[in-house]
């Protein structure tokens, strides 16, 4: 991946190269260009997370991370050691068919008893249930 740092198995070539790569891929297939841009951005995002998250996600050299901008439903529940995400749903999760992880926007309380607010969470794809709703015009898949 162009944006994944070298230390985590990527090329680490930076944003200018990533944009040019996505642009060139889009000339041949807009869907391929879109996924290159989105999945490159998500692996870069993971590279900004705490070391323990990076080690877990990048344990496999070909890890892919999908993007779910916003999950709807009840807020995530705060539990010891993190959050419990249950009963949420989203649409159009770019890259889900190729991903082992999902970066998702959710509502969650920042502290016990606080009102929910926007958070970004990293979810293992294998612990989610996919709904095949990605049937947009121009996408042959």
């Amino acid at each position: 991946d162009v944006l994944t740092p070298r230390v985590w198995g990527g090329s680490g070539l930076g944003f200018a190269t990533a944009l040019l790569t996505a642009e060139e891929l889009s000339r041949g297939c807009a869907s391929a260009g879109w996924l290159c841009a989105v999945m490159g951005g998500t692996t870069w995002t993971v590279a900004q997370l705490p070391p323990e998250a990076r080690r877990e996600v990048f344990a496999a050299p070909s890890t892919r991370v999908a993007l779910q901008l916003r999950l709807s439903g009840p807020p995530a529940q705060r539990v010891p050691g993190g959050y419990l995400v249950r009963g949420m749903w989203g649409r159009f999760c770019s890259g889900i068919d190729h991903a082992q992880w999902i970066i998702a926007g959710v509502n969650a309380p920042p502290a016990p008893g606080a009102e929910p607010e926007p958070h970004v969470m990293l979810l293992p794809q294998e612990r989610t249930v996919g709904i095949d709703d990605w049937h947009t015009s121009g996408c042959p898949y």
Side-chain angles (χ1 to χ4, degrees), residues 11-63:
S11 302
L13 296 175
F15 284 100
T17 302
L19 290 173
L20 291 171
T21 302
E23 178 183 31
E24 196 60 33
L25 282 171
S26 295
R27 291 180 200 282
C29 176
S31 295
W34 172 256
L35 282 177
C36 173
V38 169
M39 295 182 94
T42 54
T43 55
W44 178 86
T45 300
V46 169
Q48 311 312 303
L49 295 175
E52 51 277 359
R54 293 186 302 230
R55 279 192 294 275
E56 188 171 353
V57 171
F58 294 129
S62 61
T63 294

Side-chain angles (χ1 to χ4, degrees), residues 61-121:
S62 61
T63 294
R64 297 290 174 253
V65 182
L67 174 65
Q68 176 63 62
L69 289 177
R70 175 79 170 88
L71 290 174
S72 298
Q77 296 174 311
R78 222 177 144 75
V79 296
Y83 292 91
L84 175 63
V85 177
R86 183 182 290 163
M88 296 180 143
W89 66 93
R91 298 197 64 187
F92 308 126
C93 185
S94 292
I96 191 67
D97 291 339
H98 313 287
Q100 294 78 36
W101 294 88
I102 302 167
I103 294 243
V106 302
N107 279 332
E115 287 296 312
E117 59 184 40
H119 281 62
V120 175
M121 294 191 179

